Amino acid sequence: MNTKTFITGLTILFASITAKAQVQTDPDSLTHELQEIIVTAKQPATKLVGSTLVSSIPGSNLATLGNTLDVLAQLPMIKVQDDAVSVIGKHNLEIYINGRQMRDEQELRQILSSNLKKVELLMAPGAAYASTTDAVLRITTRRNFIDGLSATNQLQVKRRRKWSVMDDLDLSYRTGNLELFVNGSVNYDNSLAKGTTTNTLTYEGTKTVVGSSQNNSYPTETGVVKAGFNYAKDSQSAGAYYRYNPEHGDFSNSGTEWIDSNPALRRDIDKLIRAHSHLASVYYENTFANKYRIHFDGDFRLSEGNSSVATTYPESADPDVNSTDKRKSSLWAAKLYLDYPIWNGNFTIGTQDSYTHTKLDYHMLNSLIGEYIPSSLTDTRQTSAALFASWSRMFGKFSLSAGARYEYVDYDFRTDRKRDKDVSRRDHMLTPDISLGYTFNNDAQISLSYKMSTVKPPYSRLTGSLNYVGQHEIEGGNPSLRDERMHDIRLFGMWKDFILQGDLTRSLDTFAYIKELYPANSLQLLMHPVNIDVTALSLYLVWSKPVGCWTPNVTAGLYRQWLTLDNTSHNKPIFSYYFDNTFSLPHGWSITANMNGQTEGDMHTNRFGATWMSIDASVVKTFLNRSLTVRLSATDIFNTANNDWTMNTCGVFVDKKQSYDRRGIALSLIYRFQPRKSTYKGVPASEAELKRL
């Protein structure tokens, strides 16, 4: 379906529904009006509770910024870039909305800032979460019990090097104990990235340079259709939903490649992607005897995708290099847990189980290239069964929490229908965690925690297939990757307006990318992940203190690792800073101005370039009694963000110069008619497996 036609249809449907709904009488108009009255916006309060940063949103100057992404970008230790949320100093983040894990980033767009109640950032998640989880973001929304229709439409138009547009329509109808909801969104996104890659090595006793230039265009069309229900009465609640997510992508790369001082050879790469996924989810929750809470989640996910890649050399007699791949994956998962008080504390016990099946059928259509990048059929199946338990209690000014997670994993890997005994394996893993905290007073507290975890590589990195990048370059996965074993000691402290986080990790068999010579009849360089051992220290100091209408958040950080690979040290520290500012002005105006930067330094096998200062800003204005929010934002205003990196592994030095199109402006319009959040409480039964897929 044409993107513009779909957007127009959504807008017409929204206008029609709103026109009909506005002539109806609000059954509880007095209550509705009282909920909208805010005399003076207060500053958001962020406090450290144990190892959790807790921010209250209602009535603050963040409540009128737009949607949840706009709010998260202004909170300490949280970074939002191109709608992707991350936690500073953490790699694996899980996001939960009203107790259920977020399925896709669209959900954060769909929740308006005025509907947020509380945002909690768990910096030391326990055994109840997957062992891969470094941090957990828990978002709680405000409740609204008014029966009737709720509708919200969000439209965003963005201009960077290319135009992009997004439209989202969210409808909800509540009657008594039942809520029905349906959501439709479409996103046309187009980005442009430019760069060069230079590889320097010694080949057959001679210094050799292999280079290429890239001019990548990434136009994609994605859509989401989601429908479901929630039912809640007394202490019981249940719900289910179905989501369909199609995706079309037409990527192109117009560049060149060369070797030594030979003339550059023009190269065009075109990639066509057609994919879709289905997700069905159910949940049930019940509290009985006023103290026992039981929760169940079940999920089924099926995704399929086809892609074809054509590499041509229009000014050369070299033959085209074409390949195709077909991927299909499915997931069955369930999670069941019980909460109840015991020994003057709270105890949680549960099980989390899943079965995953992924198949990749790759065909190299160029017979010459097929001699070293052969066609292959890979098939992976994994059965996982986990038991977890955790207990927490307060002892006066002391707080203690402890937990453990046992997991059994049966991993079966097959290539061309033949089982690979070296890669297939069965693992038994026990991962404990413990945390001890002490509260001096309301302005000072400290906590120390330890966690041992097992991190499984994403399936995309376990594939055995190779991808053709150029006449002398290959990229691929590594089916022999082992699971990472990580030991993590974390220190948290708060004193008045200052918060300190310290993290010391020892990772065994974590994965990092290297580039090395690949055995072939001609010069070939292969980039793929391998297991490494690394020790890392991170320190972050946060200061936040409201000053009138101004709320600043200042973060200063240090990352330092100890890694030696092939007698090459990768130990240069990275110093970073983040300075976020929110200004709440009269008459519904708000302004944000954020800047950040970092020094050059190493992270795993990459040395990232320095960005001394990158600035984003936005202006927000509300109209029609806050029913309409208009937001004008600008990113990387001075085009100073540095995305360059180098890599020195296995005798190959890689110098990557790249320029993303982060600098641009965006206009967002949000219109609300009786906006109301979904009360779906389900949690994905296997969040780790969903993320790996």
Side-chain angles (χ1 to χ4, degrees):
M1 178 181 294
N2 182 275
T3 304
K4 295 182 179 178
T5 303
F6 191 17
I7 294 174
T8 304
L10 284 176
T11 306
I12 293 174
L13 175 62
F14 170 73
S16 173
I17 294 173
T18 304
K20 292 180 181 179
Q22 285 178 331
V23 299
Q24 300 175 0
T25 302
D26 190 339
D28 194 3
S29 58
L30 177 60
T31 303
H32 180 70
E33 291 298 326
L34 287 174
Q35 289 178 342
E36 293 298 321
I37 294 177
I38 299 176
V39 179
T40 303
K42 65 181 181 180
Q43 307 300 328
T46 298
K47 295 293 184 181
L48 182 67
V49 180
S51 58
T52 302
L53 289 174
V54 182
S55 301
S56 300
I57 308 302
S60 74
N61 54 6
L62 300 182
T64 59
L65 287 185
N67 57 41
T68 303
L69 289 172
D70 303 321
V71 173
L72 295 179
Q74 302 306 122
L75 294 179
M77 297 299 294
I78 300 176
K79 182 180 179 182
V80 178
Q81 182 172 318
D82 295 332
D83 294 348
V85 181
S86 60
V87 174
I88 299 172
K90 304 295 181 182
H91 298 292
N92 298 307
L93 171 67
E94 300 289 351
I95 302 177
Y96 289 79
I97 302 174
N98 293 328
R100 58 165 181 85
Q101 191 198 9
M102 184 187 74
R103 270 60 169 188
D104 56 60
E105 295 176 355
Q106 290 290 333
E107 295 191 56
L108 295 179
R109 281 190 169 278
Q110 293 160 5
I111 301 176
L112 304 184
S113 57
S114 57
N115 288 341
L116 291 176
K117 180 180 179 181
K118 182 171 59 176
V119 176
E120 299 172 278
L121 179 59
L122 283 71
M123 304 297 285
Y129 300 97
S131 59
T132 57
T133 306
D134 288 336
V136 172
L137 191 61
R138 295 195 306 212
I139 299 171
T140 306
T141 61
R142 302 171 65 182
R143 294 180 177 271
N144 193 327
F145 299 101
I146 303 175
D147 286 352
L149 179 68
S150 170
T152 302
N153 191 68
Q154 299 188 56
L155 174 67
Q156 183 188 74
V157 179
K158 181 171 64 178
R159 171 65 182 179
R160 292 185 179 177
R161 288 172 176 158
K162 301 285 186 179
W163 286 98
S164 300
V165 62
M166 183 279 299
D167 191 79
D168 180 276
L169 176 61
D170 189 10
L171 302 175
S172 175
Y173 183 79
R174 183 185 179 94
T175 174
N177 299 315
L178 178 65
E179 178 196 27
L180 304 174
F181 59 88
V182 61
N183 170 264
S185 65
V186 63
N187 185 12
Y188 174 76
D189 186 75
N190 198 356
S191 60
L192 182 65
K194 302 177 181 180
T196 60
T197 305
T198 305
N199 308 278
T200 305
L201 70 154
T202 299
Y203 179 68
E204 295 182 346
T206 304
K207 181 180 178 181
T208 304
V209 177
V210 176
S212 63
S213 65
Q214 303 88 32
N215 192 352
N216 298 305
S217 178
Y218 301 91
T220 59
E221 294 182 3
T222 58
V224 176
V225 178
K226 178 180 175 181
F229 76 92
N230 294 288
Y231 180 82
K233 184 177 181 180
D234 300 328
S235 60
Q236 297 189 66
S237 61
Y241 79 81
Y242 165 77
R243 188 194 73 186
Y244 176 66
N245 183 194
E247 176 184 355
H248 288 178
D250 298 279
F251 304 155
S252 63
N253 178 6
S254 177
T256 60
E257 56 181 274
W258 65 88
I259 183 168
D260 294 331
S261 59
N262 296 323
L265 183 65
R266 181 183 163 189
R267 178 193 63 194
D268 293 334
I269 303 175
D270 295 288
K271 184 175 184 179
L272 182 68
I273 295 177
R274 297 292 183 265
H276 64 272
S277 66
H278 305 266
L279 175 64
S281 180
V282 298
Y283 81 93
Y284 172 77
E285 183 173 294
N286 187 17
T287 301
F288 52 96
N290 293 324
K291 60 180 180 179
Y292 298 98
R293 182 171 71 99
I294 188 170
H295 188 105
F296 170 79
D297 288 284
D299 296 286
F300 171 72
R301 183 178 187 269
L302 175 66
S303 62
E304 297 184 55
N306 300 312
S307 68
S308 60
V309 182
T311 303
T312 59
Y313 299 89
E315 299 175 355
S316 170
D318 295 334
D320 298 346
V321 180
N322 297 327
S323 65
T324 64
D325 67 68
K326 179 183 293 186
R327 180 187 296 269
K328 183 177 181 179
S329 62
S330 60
L331 167 71
W332 293 90
K335 185 175 183 178
L336 175 68
Y337 61 88
L338 176 67
D339 292 332
Y340 60 94
I342 187 174
W343 300 326
N344 296 321
N346 187 68
F347 183 70
T348 301
I349 187 171
T351 179
Q352 186 172 8
D353 312 291
S354 66
Y355 172 76
T356 308
H357 183 196
T358 301
K359 183 181 291 186
L360 176 63
D361 191 4
Y362 174 80
H363 290 275
M364 168 54 67
L365 305 181
N366 184 301
S367 58
L368 182 62
I369 304 300
E371 293 180 359
Y372 61 91
I373 305 181
S375 300
S376 63
L377 175 63
T378 58
D379 190 302
T380 61
R381 302 167 190 255
Q382 177 172 290
T383 301
S384 175
L387 295 174
F388 60 87
S390 62
W391 179 72
S392 60
R393 181 184 172 182
M394 295 291 297
F395 299 87
K397 292 187 175 184
F398 287 94
S399 62
L400 173 67
S401 66
R405 184 183 184 94
Y406 166 77
E407 189 167 2
Y408 166 77
V409 177
D410 186 351
Y411 179 71
D412 184 84
F413 180 82
R414 298 174 184 267
T415 302
D416 298 327
R417 297 182 175 86
K418 183 178 180 181
R419 188 173 188 268
D420 191 328
K421 296 181 180 180
D422 295 329
V423 178
S424 302
R425 59 190 181 271
R426 292 179 179 177
D427 292 326
H428 299 267
M429 297 167 288
L430 180 64
T431 54
D433 65 87
I434 187 170
S435 178
L436 179 64
Y438 182 79
T439 301
F440 298 93
N441 51 54
N442 291 334
D443 293 327
Q445 61 177 272
I446 191 172
S447 68
L448 182 66
S449 64
Y450 166 78
K451 180 179 181 180
M452 185 180 76
S453 59
T454 301
V455 182
K456 302 179 185 66
Y459 286 112
S460 60
R461 293 183 174 90
L462 287 171
T463 178
S465 63
L466 301 175
N467 297 316
Y468 179 87
V469 178
Q471 292 184 342
H472 303 284
E473 293 192 69
I474 310 169
E475 292 181 358
N478 184 355
S480 299
L481 283 179
R482 298 180 297 275
D483 295 339
E484 174 187 355
R485 301 295 197 273
M486 183 173 66
H487 301 269
D488 193 356
I489 300 176
R490 300 173 181 178
L491 174 68
F492 301 91
M494 182 189 75
W495 180 70
K496 294 186 177 180
D497 302 314
F498 293 90
I499 297 174
L500 174 68
Q501 175 203 333
D503 212 330
L504 178 63
T505 61
R506 174 60 178 168
S507 297
L508 304 176
D509 285 334
T510 190
F511 52 87
Y513 278 92
I514 67 169
K515 208 165 198 177
E516 61 182 348
L517 279 170
Y518 181 74
N521 294 329
S522 60
L523 170 59
Q524 297 294 333
L525 298 175
L526 171 65
M527 177 176 280
H528 67 139
V530 296
N531 290 114
I532 62 170
D533 297 340
V534 62
T535 301
L537 171 68
S538 63
L539 291 172
Y540 293 94
L541 180 63
V542 181
W543 175 81
S544 180
K545 181 178 178 63
V547 181
C549 65
W550 173 38
T551 304
N553 286 315
V554 182
T555 303
L558 162 68
Y559 174 84
R560 168 69 154 85
Q561 69 177 23
W562 288 265
L563 170 63
T564 300
L565 188 65
D566 294 330
N567 298 320
T568 300
S569 297
H570 306 269
N571 302 334
K572 188 171 185 178
I574 299 175
F575 298 91
S576 60
Y577 73 90
Y578 302 85
F579 186 19
D580 300 336
N581 303 271
T582 306
F583 300 89
S584 180
L585 305 177
H587 308 296
W589 288 91
S590 299
I591 298 176
T592 67
N594 302 337
M595 64 180 67
N596 66 85
Q598 69 173 43
T599 63
E600 180 185 74
D602 294 323
M603 184 171 291
H604 282 188
T605 53
N606 293 100
R607 173 163 294 185
F608 293 96
T611 295
W612 299 112
M613 183 177 65
S614 178
I615 299 179
D616 302 336
S618 71
V619 178
V620 184
K621 177 70 170 74
T622 59
F623 300 90
L624 304 177
N625 195 26
R626 295 183 180 158
S627 293
L628 176 64
T629 301
V630 180
R631 179 185 179 92
L632 180 65
S633 58
T635 54
D636 195 14
I637 296 175
F638 299 106
N639 198 27
T640 52
N642 187 348
N643 303 291
D644 301 342
W645 54 265
T646 61
M647 178 188 292
N648 188 8
T649 60
C650 304
V652 181
F653 181 79
V654 184
D655 188 359
K656 182 77 170 181
K657 305 291 186 184
Q658 52 190 353
S659 171
Y660 295 143
D661 56 353
R662 283 211 67 240
R663 182 169 66 169
I665 59 174
L667 176 65
S668 302
L669 304 176
I670 302 175
Y671 181 76
R672 304 171 292 167
F673 172 76
Q674 285 191 308
R676 187 153 43 250
K677 76 174 183 72
S678 171
T679 55
Y680 187 82
K681 297 181 180 179
V683 181
S686 183
E687 56 266 25
E689 284 301 293
L690 279 170
K691 189 170 184 179
R692 293 177 75 204
L693 287 171

